[in-house]
């Protein structure tokens, strides 16, 4: 038995939680979980709360056990996991901001998403409080001779999302980066409360616009697990088709943008064309360039006709050779590789500790890909193999994307060839319960935890973007690099601000 | 890489002909433009894009304006890094309470004459995230914070929608508003 499951020995899983088990634990077991996290025996994927309960989503990469542990906190307090497991810090600061639960022992009590601008505080608590008083955010102190600070943001120079970066540099070298996020907090979790499934799915599909298919799919999976309904095979395959097109389009964008940040605009221009071709095909075939609102609870909103299949075959035939030329340009330009190789390195141990997914994890030896390990349908019928590299630098993250584009192009071909016939949508019966859904977005695994009431409406929905576990590693990646390489490092991570800020 | 260059040299440009400026946008813009501004700007617009809370879907499509298909710069429209260099703030929303202050400062830093374009349903005040405690005026409309000259709806607006809106702005700024569309004429 895995060490993670051993922590729950003798407990009965909650009968209304699907498809992975949820255990209500006492304080003692919660502390045992904290011990396990401290010793890196398993990983924390998310920590979030309801007014009377804190939940931790835990994952053991070896046995592939995924578990939700819940601790009742009638007094509004719970033992902080962050005390022994740093990846939990931002989750717990957010728990204080949004739900008002107090992590005992948490050493960083600065508000995280609450900037003191809302008309209330603790919006998800059963009794929200008066607004936070306006405050000056205290950045961590830095001491040393000749150090200077560079504040950047929230508005950045490019067409990107807002966030604040506080660099402390010694000459050209960054000695510390501290992020401050929360600027695009839209109150999504509160907004979702009381909505019907379809409306909620549309909003969850916009938690991070670039991952709309992944988020909608994860939400649909959670809803379908609660309903006890298996969506039609054709719908599952069409979802995978859209998810791979989304991945291809985003990776094209990222590869181009990374090269652009190294002042190599040729690849950027070509990747821009490739990306546009994908979006145009998506628009023609599925009716929306980003494929928003195409994945719905119970299936998909659009079917694919033979004309659409032919169109996508043409797309892939066109993209593959054009992309090979781009890759060869990347691989044969030493001045470009000089910028990306050995820049922004993240160590494999940090990546494991933070359970960072997507290109951040897979570029540093963490092989996890939820398509192979957690949400395998229909990928186990497609012979899918995750791509892994070891170096953990910008170059490795570029190569993960390159190889994933190639694998996704292959997957698209396979799906088009083997697409099962049949309906693409079923009605979901109204049922109360809790569900967890997973889907592999282009930047890592998306999780959606959902609790529905008797009327089938959302009582609590928690969408977790992979960026939560990647943002902190960006602070580590830039250390010891020069300030001018920050855009390169940042783009090679391409974390979502909106997905994080909620 | 030589192959890539040769291929590019020998193939036709993918850039497409310009779409016609959006009539509705021209009508909305007519009132907000003055002759003095037209003379000063000529046929060139510098845009500072500000994400004031979007899901990043609008940013993806705004980015696409720079790709070879739409090639925004051929119209004399370009994105600049600072509001101090800008004629236009292109704002996506919904405007969060946490971003409102930064957005106002960006506006204050933009020299006159200037225009504000609200891009996307959220920025227009009818996005899916509203109503919410975290949004300015609960709906997050850009108009709650800044005077808006042009609205471009869509979730997200397509590059062609954006382009048509911006071309209308350019036409208007150039003093070439069709009479029917210009309420001040």
């Amino acid at each position: 038995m895995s060490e993670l499951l051993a922590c729950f020995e003798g407990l009965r899983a909650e009968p209304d939680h699907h498809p992975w088990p949820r255990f209500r634990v006492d304080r003692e077991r919660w502390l045992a979980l904290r011990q396990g996290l401290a010793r890196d025996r398993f990983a924390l994927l998310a920590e979030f709360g309801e007014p009377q309960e804190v939940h931790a989503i835990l994952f053991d990469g070896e046995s592939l056990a995924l578990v939700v542990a819940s601790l009742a906190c009638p007094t509004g307090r719970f033992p902080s996991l962050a005390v022994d497991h740093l990846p939990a810090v931002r989750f717990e600061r957010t728990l204080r901001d949004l739900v008002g639960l107090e992590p005992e022992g948490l050493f960083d009590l600065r508000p995280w998403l609450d900037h003191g601008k809302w008309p209330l505080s603790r919006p998800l608590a059963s009794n929200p409080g008066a607004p936070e008083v306006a405050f000056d955010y205290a950045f961590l102190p830095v001491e040393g001779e000749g150090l200077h600070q560079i504040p950047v943001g929230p508005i950045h120079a490019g067409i990107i999302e807002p966030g604040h970066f506080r660099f402390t540099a010694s000459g050209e070298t960054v000695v510390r980066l501290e992020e401050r996020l929360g600027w695009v907090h839209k109150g999504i979790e509160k907004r979702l409360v009381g909505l019907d499934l379809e409306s909620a799915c549309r909003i969850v599909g916009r938690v991070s616009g670039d991952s709309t298919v992944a988020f909608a799919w994860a939400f649909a999976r959670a809803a379908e697990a609660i309903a006890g309904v298996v969506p039609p095979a054709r719908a599952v395959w069409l979802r995978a088709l859209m998810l791979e097109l989304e991945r291809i389009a985003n990776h094209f964008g990222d590869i181009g943008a990374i090269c652009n940040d190294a002042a190599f605009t040729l690849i950027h221009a070509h990747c821009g064309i490739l990306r546009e071709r994908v979006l145009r095909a998506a628009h023609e075939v599925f009716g929306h360039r980003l494929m928003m609102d195409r994945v719905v609870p119970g299936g998909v909103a659009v079917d694919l006709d033979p004309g659409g299949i032919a169109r996508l075959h043409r797309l892939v035939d066109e993209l593959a050779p054009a992309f090979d030329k781009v890759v060869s340009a990347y691989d044969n330009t030493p001045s470009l590789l000089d910028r990306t190789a050995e820049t922004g390195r993240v160590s494999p141990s940090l990546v494991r500790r933070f359970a960072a997914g997507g290109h951040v994890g897979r570029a540093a030896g963490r092989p996890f890909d939820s398509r192979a390990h957690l949400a395998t349908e229909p990928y186990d019928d497609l012979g899918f193999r995750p791509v892994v590299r070891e170096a953990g630098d910008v170059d490795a993250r570029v190569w993960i994307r390159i190889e994933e584009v190639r694998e996704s192009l292959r997957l698209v071909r396979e799906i088009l060839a083997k697409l099962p016939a049949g309906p693409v949508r079923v009605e979901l019966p109204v049922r109360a319960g809790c569900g967890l859904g997973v889907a592999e977005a282009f930047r890592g695994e998306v999780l959606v935890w959902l609790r529905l009431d008797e009327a089938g409406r959302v009582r609590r929905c928690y969408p977790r973007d992979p960026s939560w576990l990647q943002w902190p590693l960006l602070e580590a990646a830039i250390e010891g690099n020069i300030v001018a390489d920050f855009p390169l490092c940042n783009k090679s991570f391409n974390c979502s601000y909106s997905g994080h800020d909620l | 890489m030589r192959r890539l260059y040769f291929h590019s040299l020998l193939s036709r440009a993918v850039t497409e002909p310009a779409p016609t400026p959006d009539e509705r946008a021209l009508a909305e813009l007519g009132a907000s433009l003055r002759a003095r501004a037209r003379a000063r700007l000529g046929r060139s617009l510098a845009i500072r894009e500000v994400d004031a809370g979007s899901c990043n879907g609008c940013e993806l499509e705004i980015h696409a304006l720079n790709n070879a298909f739409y090639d925004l710069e051929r119209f004399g429209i370009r994105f600049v890094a600072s509001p101090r260099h800008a004629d236009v703030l292109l704002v996506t929303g919904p405007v969060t309470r946490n971003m409102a202050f930064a957005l106002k400062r960006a506006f204050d830093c933009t020299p006159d004459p200037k225009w504000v374009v609200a891009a996307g349903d959220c920025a227009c005040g009818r996005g899916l995230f509203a109503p919410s405690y975290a949004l300015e005026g609960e709906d997050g409309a850009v108009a709650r914070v800044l005077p808006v000259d042009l609205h471009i709806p869509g979730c997200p607006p397509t590059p062609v929608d954006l382009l048509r809106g911006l071309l209308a702005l350019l036409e208007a700024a150039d003093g070439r508003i069709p009479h029917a569309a210009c309420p001040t004429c």
Side-chain angles (χ1 to χ4, degrees):
Chain A
M1 185 191 288
S2 81
E3 214 166 314
L4 175 58
L5 291 178
C7 291
F8 305 100
E9 215 173 348
L11 288 184
R12 230 174 49 115
E14 293 299 305
D16 70 341
H17 192 276
H18 311 280
W20 288 283
R22 177 171 89 102
F23 296 100
R24 287 171 187 272
V25 298
D26 55 17
R27 239 180 132 81
E28 202 177 318
R29 285 192 201 249
W30 182 263
L31 290 172
L33 290 169
R34 182 164 91 185
Q35 276 299 308
L37 287 170
R39 288 183 288 122
D40 275 341
R41 297 307 157 101
F42 39 82
L44 178 76
L45 296 188
E47 194 181 359
F48 61 101
E50 293 178 273
Q52 301 285 315
E53 210 172 22
V54 58
H55 307 292
I57 304 180
L58 301 153
F59 177 62
D60 173 8
E62 269 167 40
S63 65
L64 302 182
L66 182 68
V67 181
V68 179
S70 307
L71 175 68
C73 5
T75 61
R77 306 172 70 81
F78 67 97
S80 159
L81 298 178
V83 169
D84 289 321
H85 189 65
L86 289 178
V89 172
R90 289 179 182 175
F91 287 122
E92 294 188 350
R93 289 170 70 185
T94 302
L95 266 166
R96 295 182 77 233
D97 286 355
L98 296 185
V99 194
L101 295 179
E102 202 58 46
E104 290 165 16
L106 181 64
F107 42 87
D108 189 346
L109 298 178
R110 295 173 298 168
W112 180 239
L113 299 184
D114 190 344
H115 292 192
K117 308 271 199 220
W118 306 334
L120 77 182
S121 62
R122 308 190 304 269
L124 295 177
S126 35
N127 57 334
E132 280 286 332
V133 201
F135 58 91
D136 280 333
Y137 190 80
F139 286 90
L140 298 175
V142 190
E143 285 172 35
E145 209 175 327
L147 296 180
H148 62 284
Q149 289 206 323
I150 311 169
V152 180
I155 299 179
H156 300 282
I159 304 170
I160 58 171
E161 300 177 77
H164 183 90
F165 300 117
R166 184 66 58 102
F167 296 94
T168 304
S170 171
E172 277 292 305
T173 309
V174 178
V175 293
R176 172 182 280 166
L177 160 64
E178 188 181 352
E179 296 157 358
R180 189 187 180 201
L181 301 174
W183 305 91
V184 292
H185 176 78
K186 295 179 267 294
I188 291 176
E189 289 164 275
K190 175 90 167 182
R191 175 79 180 87
L192 289 167
V193 175
L195 293 185
D196 60 79
L197 282 181
E198 208 144 312
S199 315
C201 190
R202 287 165 64 86
I203 292 177
V204 171
R206 286 161 177 81
V207 165
S208 183
D210 50 18
S211 311
T212 180
V213 175
F215 268 102
W217 193 357
F219 179 89
R221 272 184 164 138
E224 287 152 9
I226 294 170
V229 166
V230 179
R234 187 175 176 84
V236 174
W237 285 62
L238 286 175
R239 287 172 175 180
L241 178 61
M242 288 190 256
L243 189 68
E244 297 312 314
L245 290 174
E246 178 174 271
R247 187 182 329 280
I248 293 168
N250 281 311
H251 280 351
F252 281 154
D254 280 359
I255 294 167
I258 293 168
C259 296
N260 195 45
D261 278 343
F264 198 79
T265 52
L266 179 73
I267 289 180
H268 183 233
H270 279 273
C271 283
I273 293 174
L274 298 181
R275 177 183 160 83
E276 181 67 20
R277 291 200 193 284
V278 179
L279 300 193
R280 288 179 171 209
H283 178 72
E284 285 171 41
V285 172
F286 297 113
H288 191 282
R289 286 165 54 88
L290 304 179
M291 295 170 285
M292 282 176 164
D293 309 321
R294 307 298 119 158
V295 175
V296 292
V300 290
V302 282
D303 201 354
L304 189 60
D305 59 20
I309 293 179
R311 175 70 185 87
L312 292 179
H313 267 303
R314 274 208 314 282
L315 172 75
V316 176
D317 290 344
E318 193 175 22
L319 293 179
F323 184 57
D324 283 344
K325 285 191 196 129
V326 170
V327 175
S328 133
Y330 176 77
D331 205 17
N332 291 303
T333 307
S335 60
L336 178 57
L337 297 175
D338 186 47
R339 294 289 307 278
T340 59
E342 303 197 11
T343 304
R345 183 176 290 227
V346 192
S347 74
S349 61
L350 261 186
V351 157
R352 260 204 315 278
R353 180 126 242 256
F354 277 77
H359 41 259
V360 175
R362 292 194 285 275
R366 183 173 182 265
F368 176 75
D369 185 318
S370 66
R371 289 174 291 172
H373 302 125
L374 281 179
T376 58
E377 214 191 351
Y379 292 97
D380 35 15
D381 292 334
L382 296 165
F384 169 70
R385 296 270 296 275
V387 182
V388 190
R389 293 229 162 191
E390 305 293 332
D393 55 4
V394 173
D395 178 56
R397 290 188 283 278
V398 171
W399 276 105
I400 291 288
R401 289 176 168 98
I402 289 173
E403 288 171 22
E404 285 189 2
V405 165
R406 288 177 167 156
E407 176 67 358
S408 294
L409 288 172
R410 184 188 74 77
L411 290 172
V412 168
R413 279 205 179 97
E414 288 268 307
I415 292 170
L416 291 174
K418 295 183 183 167
L419 192 63
V424 294
R425 191 172 182 178
V426 288
E427 277 297 311
L428 296 187
V430 173
R431 194 182 292 178
C434 305
L436 177 59
V438 182
E440 188 73 14
F442 77 104
R443 60 164 71 83
E445 82 288 351
V446 161
L447 306 176
V448 174
W449 189 85
L450 182 62
R451 184 197 288 280
L452 297 179
D453 64 17
E454 281 71 23
R457 289 180 176 268
V458 175
R459 182 172 288 173
R460 176 78 168 98
C461 178
Y462 171 73
R464 201 235 47 191
D465 190 90
S467 305
W468 272 93
L469 300 167
Q470 297 168 338
W471 272 120
L473 296 184
L474 180 60
E475 292 181 352
I478 187 62
E479 207 179 299
N481 287 255
I482 59 171
V483 178
D485 274 344
F486 179 70
L488 200 54
C489 296
N490 190 22
K491 197 37 101 174
S492 76
F493 272 63
N494 190 17
C495 298
S496 173
Y497 300 69
S498 181
H500 171 281
D501 293 352
L502 292 171
Chain B
M1 192 159 67
R2 244 176 280 141
R3 279 169 60 205
L4 201 57
Y5 278 124
F6 281 133
H7 180 81
S8 305
L9 278 174
L10 298 174
S11 47
R12 267 184 328 134
V14 296
T15 311
E16 296 174 340
T20 52
D22 191 337
E23 291 294 328
R24 227 182 15 188
L26 282 172
E28 186 183 356
L29 283 165
S32 65
L33 290 160
R34 296 185 187 87
R36 192 172 62 84
R38 291 170 196 162
R40 196 185 300 181
L41 283 166
R43 282 196 64 85
S44 164
L45 279 183
I47 301 179
R48 172 62 250 202
E49 198 267 351
V50 180
D51 172 347
S54 101
C55 75
N56 78 31
C58 289
E59 276 61 38
L60 294 175
E61 294 298 54
I62 292 170
H63 258 294
L65 289 173
N66 278 329
N67 75 31
F69 288 88
Y70 305 106
D71 189 18
L72 192 63
E73 290 217 19
R74 72 186 138 140
F75 304 109
I77 305 176
R78 66 190 196 287
F79 290 99
V80 293
S82 165
R84 294 190 195 279
H85 304 156
D87 309 305
V88 176
L89 286 187
L90 178 62
V91 186
T92 63
V95 181
T96 65
R97 293 196 197 265
N98 287 353
M99 268 305 285
F101 175 70
L103 176 61
K104 280 182 214 150
R105 272 184 66 173
F107 180 77
D108 291 341
C109 291
T110 311
D112 281 319
K114 57 189 165 191
W115 292 276
V116 176
V117 179
D121 284 349
C122 292
C124 296
R126 45 185 144 106
L128 289 170
F129 300 110
S132 165
Y133 65 89
L135 306 180
E136 277 293 307
E138 304 277 309
D139 65 5
V142 176
R144 299 251 177 209
V145 185
L146 301 179
V148 175
D149 299 291
L150 172 63
H151 291 88
I152 305 177
C155 186
T158 64
V160 173
D161 297 336
L162 290 161
L163 198 50
R164 294 184 71 201
L166 292 175
L167 287 180
L169 189 66
L170 195 63
E171 294 279 303
D174 199 33
R176 296 200 297 144
I177 306 176
H179 282 273
C182 176
T184 55
C185 298

